[in-house]
Structure formats: C-alpha cells, structure tokens
C-alpha cells in the first residue's frame, strides 16, 4: 500500500520524493537470498555491525544463519557473516526457548541441537524482517523478535500461557557452546548466576574459510519474569544444582553438547534476553551489553537501528513513476546488503593494540573489489576510509594486506593480491580521511615484491617465476613460499592487474620509476596468450573462436586446459582451491579471457578487432559459458563499451535483471558474497558500472527515470535523468547525452560526477545509435584502440578514428601507451 501511495504522489510531482514522503526502508527486503544458496544474513544488524541477530536453521545452506528452505530452527544467535560460501560462519552461543519441560522435569526438555531441532518448525509466513529487526513464530507458538546495537542483541521471547502438553508455561531458555558449523575446539566454559540468571562463557572455534582459530566470549542477561531455577546441561541431561561447566570437544569429532539454562516461573510477560559477544573478554562483552542496552527497551533499540539504516540509505533517491515495485525493492535491497559486511570490530581486536579502526569479515576481497567496495566509495566514503585504514593497519601488524579475513584470521587467497585493487580504487577516487597513503603504497609494493612463506593466505606466490618469466608457470618450482599450486592462468591475469593498480598509485604519488616498472609487468598477461588455440565443446563441436590463454611450463612450452573447463556448463572439473584444481579459479579460460581490465584495446586487437570481440563476448553470454552468479562475470556484462557498442551492455544488463535477480527468497543466482551481488544489482540499475581499480564508470540507461545520489561528504547531488524513459524498457538505447548542459559523447564518466554533483541527461530511443561508439568516446585503455574503421552498423555509417589511446593521458611510456591525467 505504501508503494501505491508513493506512486500517486509521484504522478503529481516531477521531482524525487522528499525525506518527508519517501522512506527507502519501505523497499528493503532482507529475506532476498534467504533460499537457493544466496546465503544472506537476513536478520537484525546495524550497518557494518558486529551484533547480527537471527534464527539459525539446520539447512545445508545456513552460512548466513537463517534460511527459508524448509529447514528447522536450532537456535537464535548474535554473530553472523552474510552471503558467504565455504563452511557456515559464526552463529556462536545460540539460545533456544521451550514453553515448559513436560511434568516440570528439566531433563524432559531437548538440549542438544540435533534433538531440539524438531521443536524449531515454523511457517514461512510467520517470518518478518526489516532493517534492524527480525521476527519469527515457531510452530510451538513462541514468538521471537530481535533487534541490535553495535555489539549487543536484544531478543524478545513471547510465550503462550500453556504448553503443547496442556501444562502451564514455565519457560526455559537454554544457551549452548556451539556455532553454526559445530567447530568448537578444546575446552568451552559456561556459568550461570543463581540469583540473576546471567550466563557468561567462552569457547574456541574455527573460522569459516581461513587458517587458525578464535576465542569468543559472551554475556547474557534476562528480564521479564521471575527466575524459577537455572543450571547447566551436558548432552541430553541437565541439573539446577550445578552452575559451572568446562566441557571438552569430545573424542568422536562432533562437539559434545553443553551449555546453561534459565527457567522462569511464568510467561505472563515477554522475556527479554540481552546477549553481547566480544573477542577480548567476558568483561568486555558484559560492558557492551550494559552500556548499549541498559534498560532492555526493545522499541527504543529497534527505532534507533531503523533510523541508522534510513540515514545510510537515504542519499540515493530514484523516481519510481511507472516502475514495478519489485524493481524498486530489488534496487534498495541490493544497496542494503552492501552494508552488512565488512564488520566494524574497532576496539574489540585482541591481536594488537592500535588507535586505528579494525574491520573484519572481508569475505573475500576477490569478490568485494569488483562491486561492493566501489559502491561504498560512492555511498559511504567515510566507512571506506575506515576500512582502508584497517587494511593498512593489518599490514602494519601482520605484515601483509589480506585478500580474505574473518574472525580475526587470515582467509585463503583466491587469486591475486586484490587488496591492491581496493587501495588503488579508493586512492584514485580521493578517499583520504586519516589514511596513511605512503604506508598503503608500501603495503601494495610488498605484495608485488616479497613472497610470503604462506602465500596461501596473503601476498602472492611464484614471484621468482613472475619476475623472470613474466607469468606463473603450471607446476611451478617455488621453494620460498607455499600455497595451492594451481590457478596459474588466473593468478597471472590477476597479478597483471594488481601491478597496473600499483602503477596508478605510483604515478599519483610521484614515483615515476615504480610507475614504469609496474606498467611493464602489468602487460605480463600477454605471455599466456596462445594465438592458435581453438576451443571445442565436449562433443567435438568447434566454437568457432581461436586465440585463448593457456598454461605454460617453466621451460616456456605450452600445457593445455580446455577453455570451457570451469565454465557454468562444466559439471566435472575441480575449480576451487583443491590441490587437483584447474589453472583458473572458479571461472573458465573463456571468461578469464576478458579479464584484462586495464588494456581492453590490446585485447580487442588480439581477438581480431571490435566486431570479433563483440561476437566472442556475446557467445560467452548467449551460450551460458559464464554465469552471473559468480563475480568474474560482472564486468563482462559491460565490456561491450570498449568495443564501441554501449547499447549492447545496456541490453545485456536487462537480460540478467530481473530474470536472475528478483526480490524473493530464492531470487539470487548465487552467494551474495558479502553484498557483491547486491552491489552489482544496484550499480546496474543506477546506470553506472565501475571498472574497479580505475576512475571509470560505464554508462547505460538507469532502470528509473531519474536517479539522485547525494555525496555524504560534499552534500552535492549527482543526477542521472532519462528523457523518453519507458518503464517497459523498450526505449533502451542512449541517443545522445549532456553533462551539466554540455553535449557529452563519452560512454563513461569518472568519480568527480558524484563528488561534484553533476547532472547527466540521457535521451533514450528504441534503436541503437552512434552515441558512445566513436573511438574517442571509449573508456581508457593502456594500449591503442586500432581497427575501429567501422561502426556497429553494417552500413559503415561513420568512419572511426584509428589509434585513439583513451583517457590514460599524461606521460607516455616506452611501450607507447598513454597514461593518466
């Protein structure tokens, strides 16, 4: 109903709705991705909050805690990640409620997770979720609502007056020493205070996708009903006469169930449970709880959380006139998911003392650098500055920038040292706010120059071969450091782009020698290009394309990987971090064949010119070789821009949205990956997509008639307005454009558009035009655009200037690229 009221107001006005009559939270659905492997965290959180409260299920896809896939609730916990793959993450110290224990016998309540799950059934229709609050009603009649502050969760348990056995309610709430993946190690401890019912404890757990382990502490208090008794439980037996427990992991690989319980005399009023966690100590956890939620005021906490989210999402306003409500929900929900992870653990890092911010759950930067972190650079530059400071401070104390980090541990590196791309992206876009960029530069240079012993989890491996051969060999001889000896192609391509990002930083920092050095090595991707390599389907049918990247040995001879291995259509190859994995990570040679973000011009030439490049790119999409549910596919949607066909990028974006992204629990095509999928949707619908690590946004028509983005620091509003907008999207192609009232023909813009609050007006039509197709309109590239002697039209309607070198202007290098402004 709210949407239709807004729609009516919009028909009477020509502008974007004001703060008084537009609430972006009306269009956020945190349950998008709660089924079908989206793995989102759908519960209550603040932006980047440490406390993340939700119900946990026993689904095989419960990485984010809660799922809508028919699984049963096993508990309610306060720590989670969102949208991740790997093992389920966090979900520590869950609570679980019972209306009573039959005949008043505490031993007749079901304590172990596996047995209590049968009491965790629920109807999907009972679930409610909005930013800052989550609720669910179990089939037993127990209603559980929850909200959060930065470190503390507040659970509200509303019990029926009578249990399912007809006995009067004497609610019992247990808390156990488990996590989502049942990874508890060695001795866990828990105790309950006889008088107050406060439960405190700690345990050691394993991270989801990382080396090492972590210790987490907690503090839980109750209010709302008089305590009947309390105690501890071990396995399926409990006692009110014992108040303290230290429990082993057990000897059979599955953690022995153990925890504490509190039983109450009645269910006349809701019973509140306040739970805080800390990586430092029990005392720290209790201090968070007492400071952040001193009075157990659920409404006050919920309203504060809601106001915080409204402030974060309000800078982006769209004109929704004529647009289906589902698309508006898709858009704002995507934006919302970009602010769940990383998590701000500042002040709760026990590993080192520092005055710098500490963010955790960079899970993983291989995903995040492509969309999520660039999106936050626009919408929340202050938070990005804090994240960059955290990354640099991690380098300062650990010795390396992370490529993945969670639960205080080093996550596994998937490809290159992609924090380099993150730092470059932020530096080029003017993010400052307390960042020591000299130390940030030292960190990225160390990635490029020094091989760590454990390059499985930081830095780069194979650097001797990289420096002497100009590529990472298959079956490399690497005695200096150790990691999974696979992914030689994807690592070579990613290292090349990492070095390009370093070169950009070197240029702006006034380091010309370094700039030349890393520009040189950024071209190493060409050393794995095999011009005569063809690609055939598994039935022997030739794809019709020749020239692909292939692995090479130390002696420079060629190895072979079918270019279609690890594609979406390959059901047989091992493509992740296994020792038997392929030479590309989670993606095919076909798809990695387009990952040269800094030198599309040279790649286009290698592929036979712009027309051949377009045919190959369309084949990638049309034959389902790529899959939009994995991040390497994102940029390929928009790479038609580089071949002078921006209209095809617009068309391809509409192929995927909303068909592969819909505002339903099963509406995501894959793991949300800490908001990377959400950022892809938001960028695409906003009509500007980044080439991450560069100051470049590729332009397509937005999915709305008007998009307004107010920069949180400068307070200036950037506007994209479409003349001739058609909400059925039949007028999908840009005919002409103006930027601040001046004709604008480039098919890309830079970050100043947002910082300075410029206005881009696009005139749309139903037919592909010549806008953005001239060589001088194309995005920056290190190499020269050659072979553009005809437009997209077979009529050769216009002659395009040959040899244009894009907008990397400034200083020429010996290899004849042009450089930055």
């Amino acid at each position: 109903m709210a949407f239709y009221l807004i729609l009516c107001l919009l028909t009477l006005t020509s502008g974007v709705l004001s703060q008084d009559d537009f609430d972006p939270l009306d269009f956020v659905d945190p349950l998008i991705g709660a089924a079908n492997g989206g793995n989102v965290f759908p519960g209550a959180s603040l932006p980047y909050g440490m406390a993340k409260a939700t119900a946990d299920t026993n689904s095989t896809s419960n990485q984010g805690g809660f799922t809508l896939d028919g699984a049963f609730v096993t508990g309610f916990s306060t720590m989670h990640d969102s949208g991740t793959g790997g093992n389920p993450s966090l979900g520590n110290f869950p609570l679980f409620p019972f209306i009573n224990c039959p005949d008043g016998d505490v031993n007749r309540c079901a304590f172990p997770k596996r047995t209590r799950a049968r009491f965790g059934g629920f109807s999907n229709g009972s679930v409610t979720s909005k930013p800052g609050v989550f609720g669910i009603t179990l089939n037993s009649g127990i209603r559980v609502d929850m909200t959060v502050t930065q470190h503390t969760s507040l659970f509200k348990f509303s019990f029926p007056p009578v249990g399912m056995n007809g006995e009067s309610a004497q609610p019992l709430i247990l808390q156990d020493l488990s996590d989502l993946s049942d990874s508890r190690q060695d001795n866990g401890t828990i105790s309950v205070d006889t008088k107050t019912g406060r439960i405190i404890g700690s345990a050691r757990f394993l991270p989801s996708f990382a080396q090492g382990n972590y210790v987490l502490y907690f503090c839980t208090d109750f209010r709302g009903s008089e305590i009947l008794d309390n105690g501890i439980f071990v396995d399926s037996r409990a006692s009110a006469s014992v108040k303290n427990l230290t429990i082993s992991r057990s000897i059979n690989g599955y953690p022995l169930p153990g925890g504490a319980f509190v039983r109450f005399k009645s269910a006349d009023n809701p019973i509140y449970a306040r739970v805080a966690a800390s990586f430092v100590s029990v005392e720290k956890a209790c201090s968070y709880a007492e400071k952040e939620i001193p009075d157990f005021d659920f409404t006050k906490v919920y309203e504060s959380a809601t106001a915080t989210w409204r402030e974060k999402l309000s800078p982006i306003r769209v004109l929704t006139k004529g647009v289906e409500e589902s698309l508006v929900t898709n858009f704002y929900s995507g934006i919302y998911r970009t602010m769940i992870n990383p998590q701000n653990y500042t002040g709760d890092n026990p590993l080192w003392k520092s005055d710098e911010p500490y963010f955790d759950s960079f899970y993983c930067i291989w995903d995040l650098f492509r969309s999520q972190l660039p999106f936050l650079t626009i919408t929340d530059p202050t938070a990005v500055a804090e994240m960059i400071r955290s990354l640099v401070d991690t380098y300062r104390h650990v010795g390396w920038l992370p490529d993945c980090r969670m639960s205080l541990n080093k996550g596994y590196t998937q490809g290159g040292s992609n924090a380099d791309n993150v730092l470059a992206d932020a530096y080029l876009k003017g993010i400052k706010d307390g960042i020591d960029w000299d130390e940030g530069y030292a960190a990225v240079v160390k990635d490029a120059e020094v091989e760590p012993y454990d390059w499985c989890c930081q830095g780069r491996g194979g650097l001797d071969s990289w420096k002497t051969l100009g590529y990472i060999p298959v079956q490399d001889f690497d005695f200096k450091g150790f990691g999974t000896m696979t992914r030689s192609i994807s690592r070579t391509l990613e290292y090349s782009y990492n070095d390009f990002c370093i070169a950009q930083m070197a240029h702006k920092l006034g380091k010309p020698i370094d700039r030349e050095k890393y520009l040189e090595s950024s071209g190493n991707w060409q050393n794995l290009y095999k011009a005569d390599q063809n690609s055939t389907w598994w039935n022997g049918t030739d794809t019709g394309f020749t020239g692909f990247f292939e692995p090479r040995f130390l002696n420079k001879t060629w190895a072979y990987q079918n270019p279609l291995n690890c594609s979406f259509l390959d059901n047989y190859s091992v493509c992740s971090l296994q020792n038997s994995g392929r030479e590309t990570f989670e993606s095919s040679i076909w798809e990695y064949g387009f990952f040269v973000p800094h030198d599309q011009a040279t790649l286009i030439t290698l592929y036979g010119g712009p027309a051949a490049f377009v045919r190959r790119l369309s084949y990638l999409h049309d034959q389902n070789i790529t899959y939009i549910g994995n991040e390497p596919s994102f940029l390929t949607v928009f790479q038609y821009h580089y071949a002078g066909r921006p209209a095809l990028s617009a068309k391809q974006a509409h192929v995927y949205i909303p068909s592969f992204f819909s505002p339903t629990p099963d509406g995501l095509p894959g793991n949300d990956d800490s908001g990377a999928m959400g950022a892809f949707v938001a960028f695409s619908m906003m009509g500007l997509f980044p080439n991450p690590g560069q100051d470049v946004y590729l332009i397509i028509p937005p999915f709305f008639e008007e998009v307004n983005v107010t920069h949180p620091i400068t307070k200036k509003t950037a506007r994209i307005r479409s003349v001739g907008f058609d909400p059925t999207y039949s007028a999908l192609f840009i005919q002409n454009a103006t930027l601040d009232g001046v004709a604008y023909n480039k098919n890309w813009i830079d970050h100043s558009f947002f910082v300075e609050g410029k206005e881009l007006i696009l005139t749309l039509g139903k037919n592909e035009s010549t806008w953005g197709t001239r060589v001088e309109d194309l995005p920056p590239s290190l190499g020269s655009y050659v072979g553009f002697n005809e437009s997209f039209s077979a009529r050769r309607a216009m002659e395009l200037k040959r040899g244009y070198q894009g907008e990397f202007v400034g200083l020429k290098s010996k290899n004849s690229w042009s450089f930055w402004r």
Side-chain angles (χ1 to χ4, degrees):
M1 177 62 71
F3 174 78
Y4 293 106
L5 291 174
I6 289 170
L7 212 60
C8 292
L9 287 169
L10 279 168
T11 60
L12 300 175
T13 62
S14 58
V16 174
L17 292 172
S18 69
Q19 176 68 37
D20 294 335
D21 49 23
F22 182 85
D23 186 352
L25 301 192
D26 289 339
F27 302 104
V28 175
D29 183 357
L31 293 172
I32 295 172
N36 193 38
N39 298 355
V40 301
F41 167 75
S45 175
L46 292 182
Y48 325 114
M50 180 170 163
K52 287 179 164 42
T54 196
D56 298 322
T57 72
N58 58 3
S59 169
T60 57
S61 185
N62 65 346
Q63 283 86 343
F66 181 73
T67 59
L68 284 171
D69 56 6
F72 288 77
V73 170
T74 60
F76 299 87
S77 63
T78 188
M79 298 282 288
H80 294 90
D81 278 313
S82 183
T84 64
N87 294 321
S89 187
L90 299 168
N92 316 81
F93 312 124
L95 304 165
F96 194 85
F98 291 97
I99 301 171
N100 54 29
C101 299
D103 298 326
D105 183 357
V106 70
N107 281 305
R108 294 188 66 185
C109 276
F111 288 94
K113 186 187 296 185
R114 290 178 175 176
T115 55
R116 72 184 185 236
R118 70 178 186 270
F119 298 97
F122 65 95
S123 167
N124 288 0
S126 77
V127 179
T128 57
S129 184
K130 295 299 288 184
V133 66
F134 178 90
I136 185 173
T137 301
L138 302 181
N139 291 342
S140 63
I142 301 172
R143 176 71 185 180
V144 189
D145 295 289
M146 57 212 74
T147 187
V148 293
T149 56
Q150 180 65 25
H151 306 92
T152 309
S153 298
L154 186 60
F155 297 88
K156 177 184 177 182
F157 294 91
S158 301
F159 294 90
V162 177
M164 298 178 70
N165 54 7
E167 299 175 0
S168 296
Q170 288 186 326
L172 180 146
I173 300 176
L174 67 84
Q175 187 164 31
D176 75 21
L177 293 169
S178 70
D179 66 342
L180 279 170
S181 59
D182 296 312
S183 74
R184 191 186 75 236
Q185 306 292 296
D186 55 49
N187 294 335
T189 64
I190 195 166
S191 64
V192 58
D193 186 277
T194 302
K195 183 177 180 180
T196 67
R198 168 174 278 189
I199 303 175
I200 59 173
S202 66
R204 186 179 301 273
F205 302 96
L206 300 180
S208 168
F209 187 68
Q211 292 182 325
N213 55 67
Y214 65 95
V215 176
L216 191 66
Y217 305 85
F218 72 95
C219 179
T220 301
D221 295 295
F222 299 94
R223 183 174 293 184
S225 182
E226 188 176 350
I227 293 174
L228 174 65
D229 60 8
N230 53 50
I232 63 96
F233 69 90
V234 178
D235 202 3
S236 61
R237 291 292 175 258
S239 172
S241 63
V242 182
K243 309 297 181 180
N244 301 283
L245 172 68
T246 297
I247 189 169
S248 74
R249 189 181 190 278
S250 84
I251 60 174
N252 60 3
Y254 182 80
L256 183 66
F261 70 89
V262 178
R263 190 160 49 166
F264 302 89
K265 289 184 177 180
S266 77
D268 294 344
N269 299 303
I271 297 173
Y272 296 89
R274 183 183 66 186
V275 184
S278 170
F279 290 97
V280 175
S281 66
V282 164
E283 292 74 19
K284 189 93 177 215
C286 292
S287 69
Y288 286 145
E290 293 163 357
K291 180 180 179 180
E292 295 177 1
I293 309 180
D295 52 8
F296 288 76
D297 188 332
F298 190 92
T299 301
K300 179 180 177 181
V301 175
Y302 160 53
E303 288 179 348
S304 176
T306 298
T308 299
W309 276 111
R310 183 175 292 111
E311 180 182 2
K312 285 292 186 183
L313 299 181
S314 290
I316 299 184
R317 304 295 184 86
V318 297
L319 189 63
T320 61
K321 182 171 61 178
V323 177
E324 292 183 9
E325 181 181 357
S326 63
L327 289 171
V328 185
T329 300
N330 220 355
F331 178 68
Y332 278 105
S333 299
I335 296 172
Y336 166 79
R337 297 199 304 275
T338 66
M339 299 182 185
I340 302 298
N341 280 3
Q343 300 182 32
N344 190 344
Y345 290 3
T346 300
D348 205 69
N349 175 10
L351 301 180
W352 61 80
K353 292 183 179 180
S354 174
D355 294 329
E356 288 294 278
Y358 178 73
F359 278 72
D360 204 277
S361 292
F362 288 99
Y363 193 164
C364 286
I365 292 176
W366 186 83
D367 304 295
L368 306 187
F369 90 85
R370 302 172 197 267
S371 59
Q372 188 238 9
L373 293 176
F375 191 82
L376 294 179
T377 299
I378 298 169
T379 60
D380 201 351
T382 299
V384 170
E386 292 177 345
M387 293 174 195
I388 298 294
R389 289 169 61 188
S390 175
L391 291 173
V392 173
D393 202 46
T394 300
Y395 156 76
R396 190 178 289 124
H397 290 91
V398 175
W400 307 90
L401 293 169
D403 191 62
C404 198
R405 191 168 182 85
M406 70 212 63
S407 308
L408 308 178
N409 284 274
K410 301 175 184 177
Y412 295 112
T413 296
Q414 295 165 275
S417 51
N418 289 314
D420 304 346
N421 306 352
V422 172
L423 265 64
D425 191 84
Y427 184 61
L428 293 173
K429 293 171 182 175
I431 304 293
K432 299 177 181 177
D433 291 350
I435 301 171
D436 184 341
W437 278 117
D438 289 330
E439 191 146 23
Y441 181 73
V444 300
V445 167
K446 187 175 182 182
D447 280 342
E449 298 297 334
V450 182
E451 180 170 331
Y453 180 78
D454 56 344
W455 58 262
C456 64
C457 307
Q458 55 194 4
R460 309 183 198 175
L463 284 183
D464 282 354
S465 294
W466 174 255
K467 294 175 182 179
T468 58
L469 298 174
Y471 60 90
I472 299 299
V474 62
Q475 300 177 18
D476 192 15
F477 177 63
D478 185 359
F479 61 93
K480 292 183 176 179
F482 301 94
T484 306
M485 297 292 287
T486 58
R487 302 158 292 141
S488 63
I489 294 174
S490 54
R491 285 164 57 205
T492 294
L493 291 165
E494 292 189 35
Y495 291 0
S496 297
Y497 191 55
N498 299 152
D499 280 0
F500 171 77
C501 289
I502 297 172
Q504 292 181 101
M505 293 182 69
H507 176 70
K508 293 203 72 172
L509 285 167
K511 300 178 183 295
I513 295 176
D514 282 4
R515 180 202 66 215
E516 292 296 327
K517 175 181 180 178
Y518 294 116
L519 278 178
E520 184 76 29
S521 56
S522 77
N524 283 353
W525 60 274
Q526 296 184 64
N527 295 325
L528 293 187
Y529 181 72
K530 193 169 187 289
D532 61 351
Q533 180 62 56
N534 68 340
S535 171
T536 58
W537 292 97
W538 293 283
N539 64 4
T541 303
D542 199 314
T543 63
F545 294 91
T546 302
F548 291 89
F549 296 114
E550 283 293 337
R552 296 181 80 171
F553 293 108
L554 276 162
N555 64 5
K556 299 186 179 182
T557 59
W558 293 100
Y560 174 72
Q561 176 176 311
N562 186 327
L564 289 164
N565 284 150
C566 298
S567 68
F568 179 59
L569 301 172
D570 180 7
N571 297 319
Y572 305 101
S573 297
V574 175
C575 304
S576 190
L577 290 178
Q578 299 91 336
N579 288 325
S580 57
R582 298 287 185 171
E583 300 309 314
T584 49
F585 180 77
E586 290 190 358
S587 184
S588 65
I589 289 174
W590 256 94
E591 186 163 69
Y592 263 106
F594 292 94
F595 189 75
V596 188
H598 53 305
D599 200 357
Q600 290 287 284
T602 299
L603 186 67
I604 288 170
T605 299
L606 287 177
Y607 284 168
F613 180 88
V614 166
R615 285 196 301 273
R616 185 183 291 235
L617 186 56
S618 294
Y619 195 87
L620 175 82
H621 289 285
D622 295 345
Q623 299 299 317
N624 297 318
I625 297 171
T626 185
Y627 183 61
I628 202 63
N630 199 21
E631 283 73 16
S633 66
F634 288 177
L635 190 59
T636 67
V637 174
F638 301 91
Q639 283 176 259
Y640 294 102
H641 276 64
Y642 289 88
R645 300 291 300 277
L648 295 185
S649 296
K651 186 176 180 180
Q652 195 64 53
H654 281 266
V655 168
Y656 290 122
I657 302 172
S659 294
F660 288 77
F661 297 88
S662 62
T664 60
D666 61 354
L668 297 184
N671 301 343
D672 194 52
D673 282 316
S674 297
M677 292 285 167
F680 171 80
V681 169
F683 264 132
S684 300
M685 297 184 77
M686 195 165 69
L688 297 172
F689 198 84
N691 190 335
Q694 301 175 37
D695 191 5
V696 171
Y697 299 91
L698 307 172
I699 303 169
I700 66 169
F703 283 54
F704 310 99
E705 184 174 350
E706 186 168 305
V707 177
N708 293 260
V709 183
T710 300
H711 194 273
I713 296 176
T714 68
K715 306 301 181 183
K716 296 182 178 180
T717 298
R719 177 173 292 111
I720 310 170
R721 184 161 61 87
S722 296
V723 176
F725 175 77
D726 175 10
T728 68
Y729 305 112
S730 60
L732 197 58
F733 306 115
I734 299 172
Q735 307 297 302
N736 57 69
T738 62
L739 183 64
D740 286 345
V742 178
Y744 190 78
N745 295 314
K746 294 178 181 178
N747 62 30
W748 63 281
I749 57 173
D750 62 29
H751 193 66
S752 66
F753 174 76
F754 297 104
V755 176
E756 298 174 12
K758 299 178 182 179
E759 182 179 50
L760 180 66
I761 298 178
L762 309 174
T763 299
L764 307 184
K766 295 184 177 181
N767 299 309
E768 189 172 358
S769 73
T770 59
W771 177 86
T773 63
R774 301 175 305 169
V775 178
E776 55 264 40
D777 301 334
L778 307 184
S781 179
L782 285 182
S784 298
Y785 284 106
V786 296
F788 284 75
N789 61 338
E790 58 182 280
S791 72
F792 61 85
S793 171
R795 300 189 303 273
R796 300 188 182 185
M798 66 180 298
E799 190 74 17
L800 298 179
K801 179 180 177 183
R802 295 174 179 267
Y804 179 68
Q805 294 175 310
E807 289 291 322
F808 289 144
V809 293
L811 301 175
K812 293 293 185 71
S813 75
K814 62 184 180 182
N815 286 345
S816 82
W817 333 281
S818 47
F819 211 72
W820 297 272
R821 289 168 294 175

